Amino acid sequence: MELIIVDNYQELSERAAMLIVAEVEAKPRAVLGLATGSTPEGMYAELVKLNSEGKVDFSGITTFNLDEYAGLAPEHEQSYYYYMRHHLFNQVKIRAEQINMPSCDLENVDQFCFEYDQRIAAAGGIDLQVLGIGGNGHIGFNEPGDQLRVPTHLVDLTEDTILANSRFFSSVEAVPKQAVTMGLGSIMLANKIILLAAGKAKAEAITRTVSGLITTSVPASILQLHRDVTIIVDREAAGLLS
Ligand code: GLP
């Protein structure tokens, strides 16, 4: 794992964007795995800026998003599809047919999950996967527990996650209780992974990810087994690292 500690959120966003730009420059038809949440917002803003300045071209890339709330329509302001359109897809030239989002639809969800992994494989696998991290160590929506799942699947969100994400909803009750997420297998098969974390609420999860034991109670700790992971954190998220 390569650990990059930066001074502030702006620097984190710029460093992450630079890694994506380098990937797309080297491979204009790159397959990118994309994350949502507040952490990568600055990175997307940088990418939009660099694109508007003609410094990067996204017209050849294919994207696969990590996760989506179950049962939230794509038009819902808190759906991850809405987020991606708002922060990236509507702001850069990227073909709609190259965008892949997990389904919010609970009907035939198992079939959808199976096909989502097949679509990733058919695209040649993910070249670069961006990840955030939950305060409880989740990546995507792979929650801590006794077991971790390999394929894309439907997951019951933990109380911790529902509470943490309720800041985006009108109330805790309004937060969906389930989500569709890429599994640890889909994530670990990516060629390169970038994990971003900012703020002291992520400090414990980062310490356990970087230097703790590999355990299902910290899903991100499995990243220690991946051969090309870059973790970019601000000083607060790095605050408990020795
Ligand atoms: C959500 C998402 C994750 C994200 C995490 C952290 O639950 N499913 O992909 O990494 O929360 O979000 P934030 O960056 O807003 O702290």
Side-chain angles (χ1 to χ4, degrees):
M1 282 180 160
E2 186 187 357
L3 180 69
I4 301 176
I5 302 174
V6 296
D7 283 332
N8 54 52
Y9 180 68
Q10 178 59 22
E11 209 186 316
L12 176 145
S13 304
E14 289 170 10
R15 292 291 287 264
M18 272 164 50
L19 292 179
I20 293 184
V21 169
E23 184 69 31
V24 176
E25 259 172 15
K27 188 173 178 187
R29 300 181 71 79
V31 178
L32 302 181
L34 298 178
T36 51
S38 50
T39 312
E41 282 179 10
M43 176 194 80
Y44 290 126
E46 274 303 304
L47 290 176
V48 168
K49 183 172 134 244
L50 293 168
N51 178 260
S52 73
E53 294 167 353
K55 292 181 179 148
V56 61
D57 175 9
F58 293 115
S59 60
I61 67 164
T62 297
T63 66
F64 285 90
N65 263 77
L66 261 180
D67 48 14
E68 178 60 286
Y69 289 113
L72 274 198
E75 305 76 46
H76 192 289
E77 284 192 16
Q78 295 311 328
S79 78
Y80 288 162
Y81 190 33
Y82 186 99
Y83 171 109
M84 288 309 302
R85 278 177 299 179
H86 178 72
H87 289 289
L88 186 70
F89 299 151
N90 286 352
Q91 319 248 20
V92 301
K93 195 169 150 231
I94 177 169
R95 289 180 297 151
E97 57 274 25
Q98 301 302 103
I99 294 170
N100 296 278
M101 294 292 301
S103 176
C104 63
D105 195 347
L106 280 168
E107 244 176 73
N108 301 322
V109 67
D110 291 342
Q111 181 65 19
F112 175 87
C113 291
F114 175 72
E115 287 172 4
Y116 198 67
D117 287 333
Q118 285 196 323
R119 265 150 67 191
I120 295 174
I126 291 172
D127 294 301
L128 179 61
Q129 174 68 57
V130 180
L131 297 175
I133 186 168
N136 63 4
H138 76 223
I139 46 178
F141 269 130
N142 292 278
E143 297 280 36
D146 293 339
Q147 295 166 335
L148 295 174
R149 294 194 60 191
V150 169
T152 297
H153 60 281
L154 182 69
V155 63
D156 292 328
L157 302 178
T158 62
E159 286 303 317
D160 283 353
T161 298
I162 291 169
L163 203 60
N165 291 2
S166 65
R167 69 192 194 278
F168 299 113
F169 290 82
S170 53
S171 65
V172 180
E173 291 69 38
V175 184
K177 307 290 178 282
Q178 289 183 307
V180 171
T181 183
M182 274 188 207
L184 269 306
S186 327
I187 294 170
M188 290 294 281
L189 280 175
N191 235 348
K192 294 179 196 158
I193 297 175
I194 311 173
L195 185 145
L196 310 175
K200 62 173 182 293
K202 302 293 171 68
E204 189 183 337
I206 285 298
T207 304
R208 296 187 71 188
T209 297
V210 173
S211 52
L213 295 173
I214 296 173
T215 164
T216 58
S217 59
V218 184
S221 64
I222 199 173
L223 297 175
Q224 291 177 33
L225 293 175
H226 193 280
R227 68 182 186 292
D228 194 342
V229 180
T230 304
I231 300 190
I232 310 178
V233 289
D234 68 359
R235 296 218 170 271
E236 286 187 342
L240 296 177
L241 289 168
S242 47

mmCIF file of all heavy atoms in Angstrom, residues 97-120:
data_model
loop_
_atom_site.group_PDB
_atom_site.id
_atom_site.type_symbol
_atom_site.label_atom_id
_atom_site.label_comp_id
_atom_site.label_asym_id
_atom_site.label_seq_id
_atom_site.Cartn_x
_atom_site.Cartn_y
_atom_site.Cartn_z
ATOM 1 N N GLU A 97 -24.027 5.253 -22.900
ATOM 2 C CA GLU A 97 -23.948 3.788 -22.946
ATOM 3 C C GLU A 97 -22.668 3.250 -22.302
ATOM 4 O O GLU A 97 -22.529 2.052 -22.085
ATOM 5 C CB GLU A 97 -24.130 3.241 -24.369
ATOM 6 C CG GLU A 97 -23.175 3.760 -25.406
ATOM 7 C CD GLU A 97 -23.617 5.077 -26.048
ATOM 8 O OE1 GLU A 97 -24.370 5.846 -25.424
ATOM 9 O OE2 GLU A 97 -23.181 5.327 -27.182
ATOM 10 N N GLN A 98 -21.742 4.151 -21.978
ATOM 11 C CA GLN A 98 -20.511 3.714 -21.312
ATOM 12 C C GLN A 98 -20.614 3.842 -19.785
ATOM 13 O O GLN A 98 -19.671 3.534 -19.060
ATOM 14 C CB GLN A 98 -19.311 4.538 -21.803
ATOM 15 C CG GLN A 98 -19.063 4.447 -23.306
ATOM 16 C CD GLN A 98 -18.843 3.017 -23.763
ATOM 17 O OE1 GLN A 98 -19.731 2.400 -24.331
ATOM 18 N NE2 GLN A 98 -17.680 2.495 -23.490
ATOM 19 N N ILE A 99 -21.768 4.306 -19.309
ATOM 20 C CA ILE A 99 -21.965 4.490 -17.863
ATOM 21 C C ILE A 99 -22.734 3.301 -17.299
ATOM 22 O O ILE A 99 -23.789 2.934 -17.826
ATOM 23 C CB ILE A 99 -22.769 5.785 -17.603
ATOM 24 C CG1 ILE A 99 -21.931 7.005 -18.024
ATOM 25 C CG2 ILE A 99 -23.217 5.882 -16.158
ATOM 26 C CD1 ILE A 99 -22.730 8.304 -18.033
ATOM 27 N N ASN A 100 -22.210 2.709 -16.258
ATOM 28 C CA ASN A 100 -22.888 1.571 -15.631
ATOM 29 C C ASN A 100 -23.121 1.869 -14.151
ATOM 30 O O ASN A 100 -22.177 2.197 -13.429
ATOM 31 C CB ASN A 100 -22.015 0.317 -15.756
ATOM 32 C CG ASN A 100 -21.821 -0.087 -17.206
ATOM 33 O OD1 ASN A 100 -22.674 -0.734 -17.786
ATOM 34 N ND2 ASN A 100 -20.711 0.324 -17.801
ATOM 35 N N MET A 101 -24.371 1.752 -13.740
ATOM 36 C CA MET A 101 -24.731 1.979 -12.333
ATOM 37 C C MET A 101 -25.404 0.716 -11.807
ATOM 38 O O MET A 101 -26.206 0.113 -12.519
ATOM 39 C CB MET A 101 -25.751 3.119 -12.215
ATOM 40 C CG MET A 101 -25.273 4.479 -12.595
ATOM 41 S SD MET A 101 -24.029 5.195 -11.493
ATOM 42 C CE MET A 101 -24.818 5.259 -9.885
ATOM 43 N N PRO A 102 -25.131 0.357 -10.549
ATOM 44 C CA PRO A 102 -25.896 -0.745 -9.969
ATOM 45 C C PRO A 102 -27.379 -0.397 -9.963
ATOM 46 O O PRO A 102 -27.732 0.777 -9.865
ATOM 47 C CB PRO A 102 -25.367 -0.851 -8.546
ATOM 48 C CG PRO A 102 -24.047 -0.201 -8.585
ATOM 49 C CD PRO A 102 -24.149 0.886 -9.624
ATOM 50 N N SER A 103 -28.211 -1.406 -10.048
ATOM 51 C CA SER A 103 -29.654 -1.171 -10.116
ATOM 52 C C SER A 103 -30.216 -0.767 -8.769
ATOM 53 O O SER A 103 -29.799 -1.263 -7.728
ATOM 54 C CB SER A 103 -30.334 -2.459 -10.573
ATOM 55 O OG SER A 103 -31.709 -2.293 -10.570
ATOM 56 N N CYS A 104 -31.181 0.153 -8.809
ATOM 57 C CA CYS A 104 -31.884 0.515 -7.578
ATOM 58 C C CYS A 104 -33.133 -0.355 -7.434
ATOM 59 O O CYS A 104 -33.847 -0.279 -6.459
ATOM 60 C CB CYS A 104 -32.295 1.979 -7.646
ATOM 61 S SG CYS A 104 -33.438 2.277 -8.990
ATOM 62 N N ASP A 105 -33.378 -1.156 -8.438
ATOM 63 C CA ASP A 105 -34.623 -1.901 -8.559
ATOM 64 C C ASP A 105 -34.517 -3.238 -7.824
ATOM 65 O O ASP A 105 -33.582 -4.000 -8.059
ATOM 66 C CB ASP A 105 -34.837 -2.158 -10.059
ATOM 67 C CG ASP A 105 -36.236 -2.594 -10.345
ATOM 68 O OD1 ASP A 105 -36.955 -2.937 -9.389
ATOM 69 O OD2 ASP A 105 -36.598 -2.608 -11.531
ATOM 70 N N LEU A 106 -35.453 -3.492 -6.938
ATOM 71 C CA LEU A 106 -35.346 -4.720 -6.154
ATOM 72 C C LEU A 106 -35.884 -5.954 -6.881
ATOM 73 O O LEU A 106 -35.643 -7.080 -6.461
ATOM 74 C CB LEU A 106 -36.058 -4.546 -4.819
ATOM 75 C CG LEU A 106 -35.209 -3.785 -3.790
ATOM 76 C CD1 LEU A 106 -36.031 -3.381 -2.591
ATOM 77 C CD2 LEU A 106 -34.010 -4.615 -3.357
ATOM 78 N N GLU A 107 -36.595 -5.717 -7.982
ATOM 79 C CA GLU A 107 -37.084 -6.866 -8.749
ATOM 80 C C GLU A 107 -35.923 -7.466 -9.539
ATOM 81 O O GLU A 107 -35.154 -6.733 -10.145
ATOM 82 C CB GLU A 107 -38.169 -6.411 -9.715
ATOM 83 C CG GLU A 107 -39.513 -7.032 -9.381
ATOM 84 C CD GLU A 107 -40.583 -6.487 -10.280
ATOM 85 O OE1 GLU A 107 -40.610 -6.846 -11.453
ATOM 86 O OE2 GLU A 107 -41.374 -5.660 -9.761
ATOM 87 N N ASN A 108 -35.773 -8.754 -9.523
ATOM 88 C CA ASN A 108 -34.687 -9.442 -10.237
ATOM 89 C C ASN A 108 -33.302 -8.958 -9.825
ATOM 90 O O ASN A 108 -32.385 -8.897 -10.635
ATOM 91 C CB ASN A 108 -34.819 -9.253 -11.762
ATOM 92 C CG ASN A 108 -36.128 -9.786 -12.263
ATOM 93 O OD1 ASN A 108 -36.590 -10.821 -11.782
ATOM 94 N ND2 ASN A 108 -36.730 -9.091 -13.206
ATOM 95 N N VAL A 109 -33.165 -8.595 -8.548
ATOM 96 C CA VAL A 109 -31.900 -8.001 -8.126
ATOM 97 C C VAL A 109 -30.741 -9.009 -8.236
ATOM 98 O O VAL A 109 -29.626 -8.640 -8.622
ATOM 99 C CB VAL A 109 -32.022 -7.376 -6.712
ATOM 100 C CG1 VAL A 109 -32.232 -8.412 -5.640
ATOM 101 C CG2 VAL A 109 -30.840 -6.492 -6.398
ATOM 102 N N ASP A 110 -31.002 -10.277 -7.949
ATOM 103 C CA ASP A 110 -29.910 -11.264 -8.022
ATOM 104 C C ASP A 110 -29.390 -11.407 -9.445
ATOM 105 O O ASP A 110 -28.188 -11.468 -9.673
ATOM 106 C CB ASP A 110 -30.382 -12.637 -7.498
ATOM 107 C CG ASP A 110 -30.631 -12.592 -6.001
ATOM 108 O OD1 ASP A 110 -30.126 -11.645 -5.346
ATOM 109 O OD2 ASP A 110 -31.336 -13.476 -5.488
ATOM 110 N N GLN A 111 -30.337 -11.434 -10.386
ATOM 111 C CA GLN A 111 -29.944 -11.529 -11.795
ATOM 112 C C GLN A 111 -29.157 -10.282 -12.205
ATOM 113 O O GLN A 111 -28.130 -10.366 -12.877
ATOM 114 C CB GLN A 111 -31.222 -11.674 -12.654
ATOM 115 C CG GLN A 111 -30.971 -11.819 -14.143
ATOM 116 C CD GLN A 111 -30.227 -13.119 -14.477
ATOM 117 O OE1 GLN A 111 -30.203 -14.044 -13.674
ATOM 118 N NE2 GLN A 111 -29.602 -13.156 -15.642
ATOM 119 N N PHE A 112 -29.646 -9.127 -11.740
ATOM 120 C CA PHE A 112 -28.939 -7.887 -12.077
ATOM 121 C C PHE A 112 -27.501 -7.931 -11.553
ATOM 122 O O PHE A 112 -26.550 -7.581 -12.258
ATOM 123 C CB PHE A 112 -29.652 -6.647 -11.503
ATOM 124 C CG PHE A 112 -28.848 -5.412 -11.769
ATOM 125 C CD1 PHE A 112 -28.998 -4.709 -12.948
ATOM 126 C CD2 PHE A 112 -27.844 -5.014 -10.877
ATOM 127 C CE1 PHE A 112 -28.181 -3.615 -13.244
ATOM 128 C CE2 PHE A 112 -27.027 -3.929 -11.165
ATOM 129 C CZ PHE A 112 -27.202 -3.227 -12.349
ATOM 130 N N CYS A 113 -27.339 -8.357 -10.307
ATOM 131 C CA CYS A 113 -25.996 -8.383 -9.691
ATOM 132 C C CYS A 113 -25.067 -9.300 -10.474
ATOM 133 O O CYS A 113 -23.906 -8.967 -10.741
ATOM 134 C CB CYS A 113 -26.086 -8.854 -8.241
ATOM 135 S SG CYS A 113 -26.909 -7.657 -7.179
ATOM 136 N N PHE A 114 -25.590 -10.462 -10.846
ATOM 137 C CA PHE A 114 -24.802 -11.425 -11.625
ATOM 138 C C PHE A 114 -24.359 -10.781 -12.938
ATOM 139 O O PHE A 114 -23.185 -10.841 -13.329
ATOM 140 C CB PHE A 114 -25.674 -12.671 -11.860
ATOM 141 C CG PHE A 114 -25.034 -13.697 -12.743
ATOM 142 C CD1 PHE A 114 -23.971 -14.457 -12.272
ATOM 143 C CD2 PHE A 114 -25.486 -13.904 -14.038
ATOM 144 C CE1 PHE A 114 -23.362 -15.404 -13.095
ATOM 145 C CE2 PHE A 114 -24.885 -14.843 -14.868
ATOM 146 C CZ PHE A 114 -23.819 -15.592 -14.387
ATOM 147 N N GLU A 115 -25.300 -10.121 -13.586
ATOM 148 C CA GLU A 115 -24.983 -9.511 -14.888
ATOM 149 C C GLU A 115 -24.044 -8.312 -14.747
ATOM 150 O O GLU A 115 -23.253 -8.029 -15.642
ATOM 151 C CB GLU A 115 -26.278 -9.097 -15.602
ATOM 152 C CG GLU A 115 -27.015 -10.315 -16.115
ATOM 153 C CD GLU A 115 -28.407 -9.994 -16.657
ATOM 154 O OE1 GLU A 115 -28.781 -8.798 -16.707
ATOM 155 O OE2 GLU A 115 -29.120 -10.935 -16.986
ATOM 156 N N TYR A 116 -24.131 -7.619 -13.615
ATOM 157 C CA TYR A 116 -23.250 -6.452 -13.413
ATOM 158 C C TYR A 116 -21.786 -6.919 -13.407
ATOM 159 O O TYR A 116 -20.930 -6.333 -14.062
ATOM 160 C CB TYR A 116 -23.609 -5.765 -12.098
ATOM 161 C CG TYR A 116 -23.096 -4.332 -11.978
ATOM 162 C CD1 TYR A 116 -23.589 -3.327 -12.793
ATOM 163 C CD2 TYR A 116 -22.123 -3.997 -11.034
ATOM 164 C CE1 TYR A 116 -23.133 -2.010 -12.687
ATOM 165 C CE2 TYR A 116 -21.659 -2.681 -10.919
ATOM 166 C CZ TYR A 116 -22.180 -1.700 -11.749
ATOM 167 O OH TYR A 116 -21.721 -0.390 -11.631
ATOM 168 N N ASP A 117 -21.510 -7.990 -12.668
ATOM 169 C CA ASP A 117 -20.137 -8.520 -12.648
ATOM 170 C C ASP A 117 -19.721 -9.026 -14.027
ATOM 171 O O ASP A 117 -18.561 -8.884 -14.419
ATOM 172 C CB ASP A 117 -20.020 -9.651 -11.615
ATOM 173 C CG ASP A 117 -20.046 -9.112 -10.186
ATOM 174 O OD1 ASP A 117 -19.646 -7.945 -9.975
ATOM 175 O OD2 ASP A 117 -20.474 -9.846 -9.290
ATOM 176 N N GLN A 118 -20.680 -9.598 -14.748
ATOM 177 C CA GLN A 118 -20.361 -10.057 -16.105
ATOM 178 C C GLN A 118 -20.022 -8.875 -17.017
ATOM 179 O O GLN A 118 -19.129 -8.963 -17.848
ATOM 180 C CB GLN A 118 -21.537 -10.835 -16.686
ATOM 181 C CG GLN A 118 -21.653 -12.237 -16.094
ATOM 182 C CD GLN A 118 -22.551 -13.114 -16.931
ATOM 183 O OE1 GLN A 118 -23.555 -12.645 -17.465
ATOM 184 N NE2 GLN A 118 -22.207 -14.381 -17.039
ATOM 185 N N ARG A 119 -20.763 -7.784 -16.828
ATOM 186 C CA ARG A 119 -20.497 -6.582 -17.637
ATOM 187 C C ARG A 119 -19.106 -6.031 -17.340
ATOM 188 O O ARG A 119 -18.385 -5.604 -18.237
ATOM 189 C CB ARG A 119 -21.552 -5.504 -17.349
ATOM 190 C CG ARG A 119 -22.708 -5.525 -18.350
ATOM 191 C CD ARG A 119 -23.985 -5.049 -17.723
ATOM 192 N NE ARG A 119 -23.980 -3.659 -17.350
ATOM 193 C CZ ARG A 119 -24.923 -3.082 -16.594
ATOM 194 N NH1 ARG A 119 -25.930 -3.791 -16.137
ATOM 195 N NH2 ARG A 119 -24.864 -1.814 -16.309
ATOM 196 N N ILE A 120 -18.719 -6.056 -16.070
ATOM 197 C CA ILE A 120 -17.377 -5.571 -15.700
ATOM 198 C C ILE A 120 -16.326 -6.452 -16.387
ATOM 199 O O ILE A 120 -15.377 -5.954 -16.997
ATOM 200 C CB ILE A 120 -17.166 -5.584 -14.162
ATOM 201 C CG1 ILE A 120 -18.121 -4.595 -13.492
ATOM 202 C CG2 ILE A 120 -15.713 -5.260 -13.818
ATOM 203 C CD1 ILE A 120 -18.105 -4.636 -11.962
#
